[in-house]
Structure formats: C-alpha cells, structure tokens
Amino acid sequence: MKFSYRELEVISSPASPKRRTVFRPIIPIFLVSSPRIVGYEALIDSGADYNVFDAGVASILGIPLTKGNKRQIIGLGGQKVKGYEHAVTLKVGPHKYKTKVLFSKEIPPNSFGVLGTVGFFDHFSVLLSYKRKIIEVKHTTPD
C-alpha cells in the first residue's frame, strides 16, 4: 500500500505565531470494536512502543475506558501519559487484525493517533521516503 505524506501547517513555536509547513507520515486507519467502527488518522512512529489513541475514540467504540488495564507510558521529553489498554481490531487498507491499543485522556487536542512497534510495526514493514513524500506499507503477517 502506498500513501502520501500529510502536509500540515503548524505554528513554529509558542513564542512566535509564524506558521510553517511540515510533512508527516500520517495514514488513514479504522478501529473496530464490534459492531462499531471508527475511521481515524494515525502517525506512523517507529519510536513509539504502542499504538495510542484519544479516549474519545474508545467512547465512540462503546469501550468503557477505565475497565482496561491501566498503563503509564513515557512520551517525548519524559512526559508521563496514563492510558488504558484494550483489545480492538485494527484495519489498515484491506488488512484487519486484533491487537491491543492504549486509549488516553491525556492526548493533546486535535492530535493524531500513533502507530507504534507493538500492534503496527510487528504486522507491517514500512518504508518512509521523506524526499519523495511517499509511505510504503507492506503487510507481513497473516490476517
């Protein structure tokens, strides 16, 4: 599967309102918790250990957030993020598979989900070509 990098306009820093354009490896996915399904955009992040999504997605899927296993992960700069682990079906392109994900209320507003090592990279090989702005994702495990 091939995707294009997502072009985003961001503010350079909190001290400066100047905007600039960045390109990020963001792809469309679906999270499924039968019978509900949610389309979502997620950042491919080889530095992330887990797939992490906003708690609002769990709510839409009918998943009782705090019934999952409580987990704490360490984010960029050592920031601690509390989340709850739940089993869902993840659909990337035509491929569907069951995996565990973390849902957190501590995800910044208007952010993307994160696809990490456990639950994404263990199912796909990924080639990121920033120069060409192309993301190539190849399924490596049976459905």
Side-chain angles (χ1 to χ4, degrees):
M1 296 173 284
K2 287 189 180 183
F3 303 92
S4 296
Y5 269 65
R6 177 84 179 274
E7 184 176 351
L8 302 170
E9 192 174 281
V10 297
I11 295 175
S12 296
S13 75
S16 170
K18 185 178 178 184
R19 294 182 176 273
R20 66 183 177 99
T21 300
V22 297
F23 295 88
R24 302 258 166 81
I26 296 169
I27 64 170
I29 63 164
F30 291 92
L31 291 103
V32 182
S33 183
S34 196
R36 298 179 181 176
I37 184 167
V38 173
Y40 204 65
E41 291 188 306
L43 174 73
I44 297 173
D45 185 351
S46 63
D49 293 328
Y50 305 99
N51 297 333
V52 183
F53 303 100
D54 184 76
V57 176
S59 178
I60 294 167
L61 289 170
I63 296 171
L65 182 67
T66 58
K67 298 283 184 192
N69 292 329
K70 188 175 178 180
R71 302 280 307 262
Q72 184 170 301
I73 57 174
I74 306 297
L76 187 62
Q79 178 185 4
K80 294 179 181 179
V81 175
K82 179 175 64 175
Y84 296 90
E85 185 179 73
H86 290 274
V88 299
T89 297
L90 198 62
K91 184 175 183 294
V92 180
H95 306 286
K96 293 192 314 188
Y97 58 96
K98 289 194 179 289
T99 190
K100 291 182 179 178
V101 303
L102 297 180
F103 293 106
S104 176
K105 292 181 180 179
E106 299 173 7
I107 303 298
N110 302 318
S111 64
F112 298 95
V114 173
L115 297 171
T117 304
V118 176
F120 181 72
F121 280 96
D122 57 352
H123 291 268
F124 296 93
S125 62
V126 179
L127 175 63
L128 302 174
S129 176
Y130 187 81
K131 186 174 183 175
R132 294 183 354 207
K133 305 294 187 278
I134 297 291
I135 306 157
E136 295 182 45
V137 178
K138 182 179 178 187
H139 193 243
T140 58
T141 58
D143 288 333

